[in-house]
Amino acid sequence: MGDVTPASLAPILLVLGDEELLATRAVTEAVAKVRSVDPEVDVREYQASALTVGEIAEMLSPSLFGGRRLLILRSGQDARKDLVAALLAYAKNPDPEVQLLVLHLGGAKGKAFADGLRAAGATVVPAAKLKGHRDRVAFVRDEVRRAGGKCTDDAAEALIAAVGNDLRELAAACSQLIADTDGRISAETVSRYYRGRVEVTGFTVADATMVGDVPAALEALRWALHVGVDPVPIADALADGVRTVARVASAGRGSPYQLASSLGMPAWKIERAQRQGRGWTPEGLVQAMQVAAECNAAVKGGSDDRAYALERAVFSVAAARQGSTR
């Protein structure tokens, strides 16, 4: 964190974006920073929509007892106009003993507030969802660096292939890898580490395929084959995924617990199948079952290119679902 002095604390922080992990982390770091300057700091949190101008004036006015304050204003995009006006007026001449931290989703709602804070000189902490693959690779490398390790680009790529795109899961995987290794992480380290956990990968491929997420399904499939998973259980998982959604869809409406005994399936599996079944038609499912059967035959019948048979099945099942939604 480096040496933090009262002068180095930004009077106004604007945490801008809708990625929960980054926003939460920005708040944690701000609190830690201000506590390192004044362990007795008074930290208060408010929801912008529930706050009145009178309350904000009271919170921001110089305290009779002195002492540093950190005011955290959540959901800044929901602040009413009079509150926005009061805060923007305050932002032009903030109290050096008070740090105001505003969390804002960064969309069109309440944009004038975010723009006004920025114009008044607020320190902006970006917390937007990471859109591109390159951003996620940079995030992984940065996470490892923060924890005192080193990580190559291809190791970051391998970790994303193994864990997926969710930042919380990626952050957890990075700290786990650092804890379990010497901190120097290569693609081989990641591959070795996750090889023991790939029994779920066939289902990961199937789950992504059934909801029509082709990029995620292909990523999981290629990763599974890369770490040496046999194609047969992947084909089985795909067939099981289609069959389960078809069975649950034909059972009609009902809670997973009601259907569990009649279908002879655990409630969690029914619930997942109901979720995955949205957007499928009976015709689409019949088509998908045919694709899964052909894929199974190709993979088990020793097709020359079993990886290609699996990839083609992913595309064909997703296409059957697309046909359903038209």
Side-chain angles (χ1 to χ4, degrees):
M1 201 153 52
D3 286 337
V4 184
T5 63
S8 69
L9 291 173
I12 298 173
L13 278 171
L14 172 62
V15 178
L16 202 55
D18 54 351
E19 176 53 70
E20 205 188 322
L21 174 77
L22 298 178
T24 305
R25 191 174 276 178
V27 173
T28 309
E29 285 179 3
V31 172
K33 243 184 195 182
V34 76
R35 284 219 166 109
S36 73
V37 167
D38 176 5
E40 300 295 302
V41 63
D42 182 6
V43 179
R44 301 183 193 184
E45 283 200 32
Y46 302 89
Q47 283 292 334
S49 59
L51 207 55
T52 68
V53 172
E55 286 172 315
I56 199 87
E58 197 179 309
M59 283 157 34
L60 293 169
S61 62
S63 165
L64 285 175
F65 307 106
R68 187 166 288 283
R69 272 168 296 161
L70 170 61
L71 306 178
I72 298 166
L73 195 61
R74 295 191 174 273
S75 309
Q77 70 284 347
D78 298 335
R80 291 191 297 272
K81 276 188 179 154
D82 55 351
L83 183 68
V84 168
L87 285 169
L88 292 181
Y90 167 79
K92 294 195 174 81
N93 185 21
D95 180 338
E97 285 289 294
V98 176
Q99 190 176 31
L100 174 66
L101 186 154
V102 177
L103 292 135
H104 190 297
L105 287 179
K109 188 179 183 191
K111 188 171 182 300
F113 185 24
D115 291 348
L117 287 173
R118 202 196 292 259
T123 301
V124 179
V125 183
K129 281 203 181 351
L130 303 185
K131 295 281 191 287
H133 183 67
R134 299 303 320 152
D135 289 344
R136 282 187 281 271
V137 168
F139 171 79
V140 168
R141 295 197 63 181
D142 203 41
E143 277 299 288
V144 171
R145 209 175 298 122
R146 280 164 71 106
K150 274 197 177 140
C151 163
T152 58
D153 257 6
D154 57 346
E157 299 263 5
L159 192 65
I160 292 164
V163 175
N165 290 334
D166 183 83
L167 287 203
R168 280 184 187 281
E169 288 180 20
L170 283 172
C174 290
S175 55
Q176 196 64 55
L177 272 172
I178 291 282
D180 295 348
T181 63
D182 62 359
R184 284 192 298 275
I185 295 164
S186 65
E188 174 51 34
T189 318
V190 176
S191 173
R192 205 171 48 241
Y193 190 79
Y194 280 93
R195 194 168 285 147
R197 308 174 180 208
V198 290
E199 66 277 5
V200 297
T201 312
F203 295 103
T204 313
V205 175
D207 291 347
T209 305
M210 290 310 291
V211 295
D213 189 346
V214 174
L218 292 178
E219 202 169 40
L221 173 61
R222 284 163 192 161
W223 170 257
L225 297 171
H226 167 70
V227 296
V229 179
D230 188 280
V232 171
I234 301 177
D236 282 341
L238 193 59
D240 180 65
V242 176
R243 206 167 38 241
T244 304
V245 168
R247 275 187 69 198
V248 170
S250 64
R253 293 181 178 280
S255 84
Y257 299 99
Q258 288 166 338
L259 296 172
S261 56
S262 61
L263 290 175
M265 256 185 239
W268 64 265
K269 196 172 183 181
I270 294 172
E271 191 179 10
R272 189 177 63 183
Q274 284 176 333
R275 210 169 45 241
Q276 292 175 347
R278 288 183 200 128
W280 279 94
T281 60
E283 297 75 28
L285 284 165
V286 167
Q287 202 181 328
M289 283 172 92
Q290 210 172 338
V291 168
E294 283 165 13
C295 172
N296 245 313
V299 168
K300 289 172 184 171
S303 149
D304 288 345
D305 192 347
R306 301 193 300 168
Y308 173 69
L310 284 164
E311 284 203 6
R312 201 178 53 199
V314 166
F315 280 113
S316 303
V317 169
R321 184 179 182 278
Q322 267 309 103
S324 295
T325 56
R326 291 231 167 89

